[in-house]
């Protein structure tokens, strides 16, 4: 039975604290976190800030190193970095517990984070680790699932589920497409940028909850 937890965490207990402090309008959204050779590599989107200013601030931020810009997508840019070894943060607490960070958004010194735990044991390990290193967090919501049949059970928020469902119903994912991003956004009464971000985060949540956790079926002869 999977458990989903939503937290509010001060930036000093997660990542990019000095960067978020220097750039109050900056929005950072974690896309995914890769782990290799005991190093954690976050991929994250940044928006609402000048890229040169961001890179200057992030380059001096002690929580990350090896910052690299990978891609640009409309009004957001994708970066990759390496988290420095800092055990007393939410990042390492979740890693040590074997949990998965599904969504993390940082702005104005606070991160909103959603984490999936396989069951209660890793959740308890996470809480023990956070207590041991005095990691500050507010648990906003905790809910559990048994059967992956609804959007939330795939790690989707209600808004991401609505965006994906509406886009599918309107033929956005058909080839050729039967509608445009602007038309789907109008249907949902949101901006094109908001829709694009919801679709991107929704795709990530689906992959994290299905492809990344489900073994590949054996091919039939």
């Amino acid at each position: 039975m999977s458990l989903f937890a939503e937290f509010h965490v001060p930036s000093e207990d997660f990542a990019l604290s000095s960067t978020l402090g220097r750039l109050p309008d900056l929005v950072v959204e974690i896309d995914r976190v890769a782990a290799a050779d005991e190093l954690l590599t976050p991929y994250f989107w940044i928006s609402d800030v000048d890229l040169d200013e961001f890179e200057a601030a992030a380059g001096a931020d002690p929580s990350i190193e090896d910052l690299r810009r990978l891609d640009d997508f409309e009004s957001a840019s994708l970066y990759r970095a390496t988290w420095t070894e800092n055990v007393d943060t939410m990042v390492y607490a979740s890693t040590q517990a074997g949990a998965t960070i599904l969504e993390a958004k940082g702005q104005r010194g606070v991160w909103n984070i959603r984490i999936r735990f396989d069951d209660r044991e890793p959740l308890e390990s996470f809480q023990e680790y956070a207590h041991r290193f005095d990691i500050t967090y507010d648990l906003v919501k905790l809910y559990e699932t048994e059967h992956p049949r609804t959007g939330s059970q795939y790690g989707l928020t209600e808004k991401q589920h609505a965006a994906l469902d509406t886009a599918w119903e309107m033929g956005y994912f058909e080839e050729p497409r039967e509608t445009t991003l602007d038309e789907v956004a109008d249907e949902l009464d949101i901006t094109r940028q908001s829709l694009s971000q919801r679709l991107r985060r929704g795709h990530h949540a689906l992959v994290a909850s299905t492809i990344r956790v489900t073994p590949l079926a054996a091919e039939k002869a």
Side-chain angles (χ1 to χ4, degrees):
M1 179 183 297
S2 294
L3 293 171
F4 294 85
E6 298 179 11
F7 302 93
H8 289 171
V9 183
S11 58
E12 58 266 24
D13 283 328
F14 190 70
L16 294 171
S17 180
S18 66
T19 303
L20 289 168
R22 289 178 59 181
L23 303 172
D25 294 328
L26 171 66
V27 177
V28 183
E29 297 179 80
I30 300 295
D31 185 80
R32 66 185 185 279
V33 179
D37 299 327
E38 298 184 355
L39 294 177
L40 296 179
T41 303
Y43 291 74
F44 53 91
W45 294 87
I46 68 102
S47 58
D48 297 340
V49 71
D50 179 82
L51 295 184
D52 290 335
E53 293 181 358
F54 167 74
E55 292 177 3
D61 195 311
S63 66
I64 63 170
E65 59 186 17
D66 300 327
L67 180 71
R68 180 180 298 182
R69 182 178 171 190
L70 301 179
D71 201 0
D72 295 306
F73 185 78
E74 296 184 358
S75 61
S77 295
L78 179 65
Y79 283 82
R80 183 183 69 188
T82 299
W83 262 311
T84 57
E85 187 172 359
N86 185 5
V87 296
D88 54 344
T89 65
M90 176 72 79
V91 178
Y92 283 87
S94 60
T95 301
Q96 292 297 313
T100 300
I101 297 177
L102 296 175
E103 188 175 357
K105 182 177 181 179
Q107 187 176 24
R108 299 187 182 279
V110 178
W111 283 86
N112 297 319
I113 306 170
R114 196 155 58 95
I115 299 178
R116 186 185 68 232
F117 301 90
D118 289 341
D119 51 45
R120 289 199 172 273
E121 184 175 345
L123 173 61
E124 292 173 357
S125 297
F126 165 84
Q127 292 172 320
E128 291 173 0
Y129 190 98
H131 177 72
R132 186 189 318 154
F133 290 98
D134 295 322
I135 298 171
T136 302
Y137 66 86
D138 290 325
L139 178 59
V140 179
K141 187 176 181 181
L142 179 65
Y143 51 101
E144 61 186 18
T145 62
E146 289 185 85
H147 307 292
R149 295 179 181 175
T150 66
S152 64
Q153 292 170 323
Y154 284 112
L156 296 174
T157 65
E158 291 183 7
K159 292 180 179 179
Q160 291 166 7
H161 182 275
L164 288 166
D165 185 59
T166 302
W168 184 84
E169 289 286 352
M170 295 179 65
Y172 180 74
F173 299 115
E174 297 295 332
E175 183 61 40
R177 285 178 175 166
E178 299 174 358
T179 189
T180 66
L181 203 63
D182 288 323
E183 290 172 334
V184 178
D186 288 341
E187 179 68 20
L188 291 166
D189 196 24
I190 59 176
T191 66
R192 175 189 175 95
Q193 178 183 351
S194 294
L195 173 61
S196 179
Q197 291 176 344
R198 290 178 191 180
L199 291 177
R200 172 170 50 80
R201 292 196 295 266
H203 285 147
H204 172 67
L206 287 173
V207 171
S209 298
T210 55
I211 297 175
R212 291 295 302 276
V213 300
T214 305
L216 290 175
E219 292 187 4
K220 295 181 179 180

